[in-house]
Amino acid sequence: KLSELLSERESISDEMQHQLDEATDPWGVKVERVEVKDVILPGNMQRAMAAEAEATRESRAKVIAAEGEQNASRRLREAADIMDESPATVQLRYLQTLNTIAGQNNH
């Protein structure tokens, strides 16, 4: 994976150094340093990775929205149960709603 490549650059560089040393020692050549500094991806791979990341974000957003809807429905049910216990509660809520609407219409 690309994320592994980027996070493990140092160990990859060390492994490359070891392999180069094995290949060049018989010639009397010593490679002093190997570094993975930059990784350039082909455009189509960049687009594929961007599409995958977007799909992951959208998936997470849908899960969060569904959880929000589930929580809201639970709270509405709890509120309905409380209101069901007392008819006066329903009447007070109705009056509160009318007051809110009247306040919005006056602005």
Side-chain angles (χ1 to χ4, degrees), residues 1-20 34-37:
K1 287 184 176 180
L2 179 63
S3 60
E4 291 172 0
L5 173 66
L6 295 174
S7 65
E8 300 293 326
R9 281 193 244 184
E10 192 170 324
S11 64
I12 292 169
S13 294
D14 291 344
E15 178 61 28
M16 289 173 63
Q17 174 87 38
H18 177 72
Q19 290 182 11
L20 283 170
V34 175
E35 288 183 44
V36 177
K37 287 190 171 196

Side-chain angles (χ1 to χ4, degrees), residues 50-69:
E52 181 181 354
E54 180 67 21
T56 300
R57 283 190 297 274
E58 287 177 6
S59 175
R60 286 185 192 143
K62 287 178 183 179
V63 168
I64 290 169
E67 288 172 351
E69 289 291 327

Side-chain angles (χ1 to χ4, degrees), residues 40-51:
I40 299 174
L41 299 174
N44 60 349
M45 185 178 280
Q46 289 177 2
R47 286 188 293 279
M49 290 173 68

